Amino acid sequence: MGNGSSAEIKKFPPQERDRLADSMKGKVSHEEINFIVNTFKGMSGVNKKTYLDIAKQLATTFQINGVNPDNAETTFELFDQNHDGVVDVKDFAQGIHILRSGTEEERALLSFRALDRDGDGFISRSELQSRIQHLLKLSTTQAKKEGQPQNTKKESGSGDLNDVLARQGEAAREDQMDAQLKPYIDRLNEILGSSLVDNMFLTKKISKDQWSVAAKANSNLIVICDPYQSTHLFKGAHETVLAGDPATLASAMYSDGEVPEKVEKKKGDVDEVILQKVMDNTGLKINCAEARSKNKKK
């Protein structure tokens, strides 16, 4: 989501380190400031590539969900407040404080600045839509990672035939899981991409004050503004889809208990009961059937 160019990164002077530590007293410790500067290799900031490379180190010290290798890209974009492609030491320190113990107002302002890509003091429909679609893409990628077997062998060149066959079997299983999950993710992307934006925009643009009120009161926006939750929207989606028994779930859809013949799911079919369960697991309060009905009427 960067603008393709990065600001110049300079050395971070010791006196600046002390000034920042004083200004953040009671929020981020002097030791934590030192750790940030040292992890940034003494530089005033880091670009996205470097940030993604050091995400694990940062997560080890700042053990909060917002700073996690899995959602490093989302956190970078949240902390890059002026959209210059660099998270500086001050940006990171302030972001850590807000994610860890910031007020609702501070969290709302942090997310507002991240969304206001052109810096005009408003969030446009296209800015929110672009952000949500980007988060859905990241969430889908993360869901696929979570669905992969943990014991899959990554090494190559093994001469052991059993290892080769095991890897081929795991690859086939992953392909099958992706095939089963994809229709659900596609449908959820369609529903979320329209519902969240449509429910926000009664006007062409949203001001900082309007966003602040909405971000504190709207449970769906609270999820979207959280770097961990938004990157893990589809957490457990594989398990939810794969655990669904077609006959049992089909029965639940008919109040009289009678299931029509041919309830077996075809490849690419989406079971609406499972779809809603996956949606419920995202933490978002959206009724899939109602959202799809509204989309069809447009």
Side-chain angles (χ1 to χ4, degrees), residues 113-226:
R113 286 175 177 165
L115 286 162
D116 181 17
R117 302 295 298 176
D118 59 11
D120 68 350
F122 293 88
I123 295 175
S124 67
R125 184 186 184 92
S126 62
E127 284 173 329
L128 181 58
Q129 202 160 30
S130 174
R131 179 62 180 164
I132 289 173
Q133 288 303 319
H134 182 61
L135 289 174
L136 294 178
K137 182 179 179 180
L138 292 177
S139 300
T140 300
T141 300
Q142 185 59 33
K144 289 181 178 180
K145 287 182 183 177
E146 291 168 354
Q148 290 176 353
Q150 295 302 306
N151 62 346
T152 301
K153 296 181 183 293
K154 298 296 181 184
E155 66 273 11
S156 60
S158 170
D160 189 325
L161 179 59
N162 288 331
D163 282 351
V164 173
L165 293 175
R167 286 197 296 274
Q168 290 176 343
E170 294 291 6
R173 181 171 179 269
E174 288 174 24
D175 288 343
Q176 182 182 21
M177 292 175 77
D178 281 345
Q180 289 172 298
L181 180 65
K182 188 177 185 304
Y184 289 89
I185 295 297
D186 288 347
R187 183 75 64 79
L188 286 165
N189 282 347
E190 174 191 329
I191 293 170
L192 293 176
S194 59
S195 295
L196 291 174
V197 176
D198 290 343
N199 289 339
M200 274 298 298
F201 281 87
L202 300 177
T203 57
K204 288 186 177 180
K205 290 190 174 185
I206 299 173
S207 70
K208 187 185 299 182
D209 290 340
Q210 289 172 319
W211 178 263
S212 180
V213 172
K216 289 183 285 187
N218 187 319
S219 61
N220 289 338
L221 287 184
I222 291 171
V223 171
I224 290 298
C225 293
D226 183 279

Side-chain angles (χ1 to χ4, degrees), residues 51-52 54-60 62-76 79 92 96 99 142 145-146 226-229 231-232 235:
Y51 185 85
L52 298 181
I54 64 175
K56 191 171 183 179
Q57 292 173 258
L58 296 169
T60 300
F62 302 101
Q63 295 185 10
I64 53 178
N65 279 340
V67 181
N68 182 297
D70 291 341
N71 49 267
E73 185 171 342
T74 308
T75 307
F76 179 90
F79 288 174
F92 188 83
I96 285 296
L99 290 182
Q142 185 59 33
K145 287 182 183 177
E146 291 168 354
D226 183 279
Y228 182 82
Q229 286 182 281
T231 309
H232 294 76
K235 191 173 180 65

Side-chain angles (χ1 to χ4, degrees), residues 82-93:
N82 58 358
H83 310 296
D84 63 356
V86 170
V87 168
D88 64 36
V89 174
K90 185 178 179 181
D91 285 339
F92 188 83

Side-chain angles (χ1 to χ4, degrees), residues 31-47:
E31 291 76 13
E32 288 174 325
I33 296 291
N34 284 335
F35 174 79
I36 296 168
V37 176
N38 291 336
T39 307
F40 283 16
K41 304 297 184 185
M43 304 304 289
S44 60
V46 292
N47 59 26

